[in-house]
Amino acid sequence: MTTKHPLTTRILHWVTAILTIGLFFSGWYMVDLDYYSQWYQTLPESHFLAGTILLLLWAWVLFKLFYGNRPNFPQPHKKIERIASRWVKRLFYLLISIMVITGYLMATADGETLVIFEKIKLPAFSQFSAQQVDTMGWVHEYVSYAIMALVVLHIAGALKHHFIDKDDTLKRMT
């Protein structure tokens, strides 16, 4: 029988994955919207809401990383696979943290509280210049591409373990 990750870990993993991929594609689509598009108002607000949810989930993930118990699974993998896995995870932690922080700062860059769907209010931490917002936008965009490259690498690794190595790596997270 396969020893699975705790249920909360699995839920956080899959919700984070869905939000991350959804946010990438909504952001990619959103930047080309014009004023007359039916998505012009709702998609950015949905993107901000999903990003805020990801921010909160990611805060929990980072808390668990530093203060949680990690299950000890057998390590039948090659040393290079363990090293690659460790670095992919570290890059995910770093890049998703950068994404949610830059997204939040850009959304509140005018120094005003961001209101989502007339109900959720997100306070601004500071006010930023247009040049600072452009830099954050550039970082936000290119970090999103790096995250998607890691997602592809992560999926490829999971499929390799499942179909080629025929081990329980993927099953532990489902």
Side-chain angles (χ1 to χ4, degrees):
M1 182 171 168
T2 301
T3 304
K4 293 188 175 231
H5 285 281
L7 181 61
T8 55
T9 301
R10 289 182 281 149
I11 290 170
L12 278 171
H13 176 270
W14 289 107
V15 170
T16 299
I18 291 165
L19 284 171
T20 301
I21 293 167
L23 282 162
F24 174 79
F25 284 108
S26 70
W28 183 63
Y29 181 74
M30 186 172 63
V31 295
D32 291 328
L33 293 176
D34 65 21
Y35 182 77
Y36 299 103
S37 169
Q38 66 183 22
W39 291 100
Y40 185 77
Q41 293 297 323
T42 57
L43 189 57
E45 285 193 81
S46 297
H47 188 86
F48 297 149
L49 179 60
T52 302
I53 293 168
L54 182 60
L55 173 69
L56 296 172
L57 287 176
W58 207 244
W60 179 250
V61 166
L62 292 176
F63 176 80
K64 283 186 60 160
L65 174 68
F66 292 109
Y67 299 106
N69 295 328
R70 292 184 209 135
N72 290 323
F73 294 113
Q75 293 294 331
H77 310 305
K78 297 174 192 155
K79 184 175 181 178
I80 190 72
E81 290 174 337
R82 291 193 311 269
I83 292 168
S85 171
R86 200 172 311 127
W87 277 101
V88 167
K89 277 176 87 172
R90 289 174 181 167
L91 286 170
F92 267 131
Y93 293 142
L94 175 66
L95 295 177
I96 291 178
S97 296
I98 291 170
M99 278 299 287
V100 296
I101 290 167
T102 57
Y104 186 83
L105 293 176
M106 284 188 308
T108 59
D110 60 1
E112 299 292 322
T113 298
L114 176 67
V115 181
I116 302 173
F117 297 119
E118 300 176 8
K119 295 191 187 314
I120 300 169
K121 296 180 181 179
L122 303 175
F125 287 113
S126 186
Q127 189 170 3
F128 298 99
S129 69
Q131 184 179 1
Q132 290 170 318
V133 174
D134 286 345
T135 300
M136 284 187 274
W138 180 87
V139 169
H140 196 76
E141 178 182 0
Y142 287 99
V143 166
S144 74
Y145 295 133
I147 290 170
M148 286 302 106
L150 286 177
V151 165
V152 169
L153 187 62
H154 186 64
I155 291 169
L159 294 175
K160 177 216 174 263
H161 282 291
H162 190 71
F163 292 110
I164 296 172
D165 298 344
K166 299 192 185 312
D167 64 27
D168 291 340
T169 303
L170 181 62
K171 292 177 183 174
R172 287 195 304 256
M173 195 52 82
T174 58

